[in-house]
Amino acid sequence: KYLESNNKINTTEYTFFFFFLGLIYFRKEDYKKAEGYYQIELFTLIKLFGENYSSLQYTFSFLGRINENLGDYKQSESFYLRAISNVKANLGEKKPNYSLCLLNLATLYKKNKEYQKAEPLYLEAIENKKLNFGENSIEYQRALISYAIFYDEKGDLQKADELFFKS
């Protein structure tokens, strides 16, 4: 009501309101409500700023995670791909946000045992973390651990051990 009475509908304040409502319901694991709020935020941001607005990456990523938790693999993949495309177009492949988006999609593929699709994403994300933070950073180490878990779940314990020790 505050937003309506103060002519804040279709402004960035309006979108923040729905982003944080979505986050609240996401944390409560009420994914359907969270999805609804993020969809409103997405629609409004696109209406205000267009499809290439750089902050859409966050909404795409949250919608990907929500749909992953709801078991809608195809929808989740679509949102993660949109997040990657958004970061690539607006910030470039050398920014840290890019590796985070890659890891989200890689994890989805790993969960669905699509290892051939996941592995190149892990490798690209690791290189991005190394470039941005260095080999001694916690960010780089976390990416290596994620990759080690990938090999562990694949059943290649030797490679998993090598990566765990490297991290």
Side-chain angles (χ1 to χ4, degrees):
K1 290 183 181 188
Y2 165 80
L3 292 170
E4 289 173 358
S5 65
N6 291 295
N7 294 322
K8 301 291 185 189
I9 301 294
N10 295 329
T11 66
T12 51
E13 289 175 24
Y14 179 75
T15 62
F16 285 132
F17 174 75
F18 285 106
F19 179 86
F20 287 110
L21 270 175
L23 185 59
I24 288 167
Y25 284 102
F26 179 85
R27 288 186 175 160
K28 288 178 154 187
E29 298 182 10
D30 189 343
Y31 300 121
K32 281 294 186 189
K33 273 190 182 174
E35 181 182 29
Y37 289 122
Y38 282 117
Q39 288 287 1
I40 293 169
E41 185 216 10
L42 178 64
F43 173 80
T44 307
L45 285 173
I46 290 171
K47 185 176 171 187
L48 289 171
F49 303 108
E51 287 276 341
N52 293 322
Y53 181 54
S54 63
S55 290
L56 290 176
Q57 64 175 294
Y58 302 109
T59 307
F60 291 142
S61 292
F62 269 106
L63 284 165
R65 179 72 45 84
I66 287 166
N67 281 279
E68 187 177 337
N69 289 334
L70 289 170
D72 189 342
Y73 166 76
K74 286 295 176 195
Q75 192 67 11
S76 180
E77 179 186 39
S78 173
F79 281 120
Y80 286 147
L81 287 168
R82 288 175 78 182
I84 291 168
S85 176
N86 181 276
V87 171
K88 198 185 244 187
N90 290 294
L91 302 173
E93 296 177 32
K94 295 195 186 310
K95 295 294 184 183
N97 299 34
Y98 184 67
S99 60
L100 181 60
C101 293
L102 291 173
L103 287 170
N104 286 340
L105 185 57
T107 302
L108 178 71
Y109 287 149
K110 178 190 67 158
K111 284 181 181 177
N112 288 284
K113 300 189 184 329
E114 293 187 65
Y115 301 121
Q116 301 83 359
K117 287 182 176 182
E119 188 161 20
L121 297 171
Y122 278 112
L123 292 171
E124 191 174 356
I126 288 167
E127 283 305 309
N128 179 284
K129 297 284 188 183
K130 184 177 174 181
L131 173 75
N132 281 289
F133 301 105
E135 288 186 30
N136 295 322
S137 71
I138 191 70
E139 292 293 328
Y140 179 75
Q141 304 304 317
R142 284 181 184 151
L144 283 178
I145 290 169
S146 292
Y147 194 39
I149 292 168
F150 165 80
Y151 272 102
D152 181 62
E153 290 184 17
K154 255 179 86 167
D156 188 340
L157 301 181
Q158 182 178 353
K159 183 71 174 177
D161 283 348
E162 287 173 26
L163 289 164
F164 276 123
F165 284 115
K166 186 176 178 180
S167 68

